[in-house]
Amino acid sequence: MLLAASAWAQVFEAVPQKPTQGEVIKVTSDTASAARLNGRTITLFPQQDGPALGLMPVPTLAEPGKYQLDFLDQNGAVLHSTEIEVEDAYYRRENISIAPSISKLKPSPGEQATVSKFRETVSSERYWKEPFEAPLPGCVTSPFGSTRLHNGKLTGDFHAGVDQRGAAGTPIHPITPGVVKIVQKWNLRGGTVAIDHGQGVETIYLHMSAFQAKVGQQVGPGDVIGYVGETGRANGPHLHWTIYVNGVPVNPGQWMKLEPCAAGSPKPKPKG
């Protein structure tokens, strides 16, 4: 009887169970088709090498504390519940000095709507695979999650991505395989490429000087999608990029190691 019972044991896993703000919980189950946490529901997708998997983002502004994660069947009924404890990430404050002419830039017509639609799309085919790779070799000048001030004034927002140092013209690579969905020059974001990596994982890369990728192209870490620039609201050549998981910006530090720039380190020289 014990052997029979173990053979029918169901899988309900959530890792980590104590995520920090901005992290992602990997939710796996062999029976559930969705999961819900604090009002957010995600799909669990069938995988080739194991139970169904879904990625539950913990928003950067989520209150630290205990929450209930529900595993749901296809009709939304709760199959199993487990406790998740969100821990404070202690993100820092950061002041950015930018020219008034740059700080006053407004989005191009349709810019915000196009990015919002991209973030809301969740495709069923998985392209992404671990480990993720940084799009540039450069160090991080501005980390994820910091409370942003522009010229000493609070913006009311946090840094939803990572700024990496890079000389103008440095090639940019996608962090994991995916399909290019946006290649666009905009007022606010500058030269922008956005990639769908499937099953809720997406990335966007800003301020490019020129593009190499085309919409609909399937790309991987070995491909060049564009080049470092200072277009849009940028105060010098660098790459701003963001990982979205089911529409929520999340901390890349959970997926890869990124080195902060040393204080006073010299800026790289332009390519060419």
Side-chain angles (χ1 to χ4, degrees):
M1 293 297 294
L2 288 177
L3 287 175
S6 63
W8 288 98
Q10 296 178 326
V11 175
F12 299 105
E13 293 185 347
V15 179
Q17 287 193 288
K18 290 187 176 182
T20 60
Q21 297 161 312
E23 284 194 332
V24 175
I25 305 167
K26 290 184 176 180
V27 182
T28 55
S29 176
D30 57 359
T31 52
S33 58
R36 181 176 60 219
L37 178 70
N38 197 27
R40 183 184 306 279
T41 301
I42 63 162
T43 300
L44 272 58
F45 294 96
Q47 305 295 305
Q48 294 181 351
D49 56 354
L53 168 68
L55 302 176
M56 178 65 77
V58 177
T60 301
L61 301 181
E63 288 291 331
K66 295 180 179 180
Y67 297 84
Q68 180 174 296
L69 174 70
D70 295 324
F71 293 79
L72 311 175
D73 68 14
Q74 59 184 359
N75 297 315
V78 177
L79 298 173
H80 179 78
S81 297
T82 190
E83 185 178 87
I84 297 295
E85 185 172 358
V86 175
E87 299 183 334
D88 197 323
Y90 297 103
Y91 293 116
R92 71 185 196 187
R93 274 189 157 199
E94 182 181 44
N95 181 51
I96 305 297
S97 297
I98 57 177
S101 59
I102 296 176
S103 66
K104 293 178 181 178
L105 283 174
K106 302 297 182 183
S108 301
E111 180 175 344
Q112 303 292 65
T114 301
V115 174
S116 294
K117 184 177 179 180
F118 167 72
R119 289 173 58 176
E120 292 168 359
T121 302
V122 179
S123 56
S124 60
E125 186 171 355
R126 175 174 168 174
Y127 298 98
W128 67 268
K129 57 184 179 181
E130 298 178 278
F132 291 177
E133 301 177 19
L136 291 179
C139 57
V140 173
T141 59
S142 180
F144 173 88
S146 56
T147 299
R148 273 294 178 90
L149 295 87
H150 284 174
N151 300 327
K153 295 182 179 180
L154 282 169
T155 63
D157 206 352
F158 66 92
H159 194 212
V162 166
D163 288 349
Q164 268 189 280
R165 179 166 288 174
T170 302
I172 299 165
H173 305 272
I175 66 171
T176 193
V179 177
V180 177
K181 295 295 183 179
I182 298 173
V183 177
Q184 188 71 48
K185 292 181 179 179
W186 279 321
N187 288 343
L188 190 62
R189 295 171 175 82
T192 300
V193 171
I195 300 174
D196 179 11
H197 306 284
Q199 298 186 359
V201 180
E202 298 174 317
T203 53
I204 194 166
Y205 309 79
L206 312 184
H207 309 310
M208 293 185 183
S209 60
F211 303 122
Q212 190 68 35
K214 296 181 180 179
V215 172
Q217 179 183 358
Q218 190 168 333
V219 294
D223 297 315
V224 176
I225 58 173
Y227 301 91
V228 171
E230 53 181 316
T231 56
R233 192 163 66 188
N235 60 347
H238 74 284
L239 174 65
H240 170 102
W241 59 279
T242 298
I243 300 177
Y244 297 113
V245 169
N246 284 302
V248 178
V250 297
N251 189 353
Q254 185 181 5
W255 305 83
M256 67 186 76
K257 185 172 179 58
L258 296 166
E259 295 292 340
C261 295
S265 58
K267 295 182 179 180
K269 296 180 180 180
K271 296 285 183 179

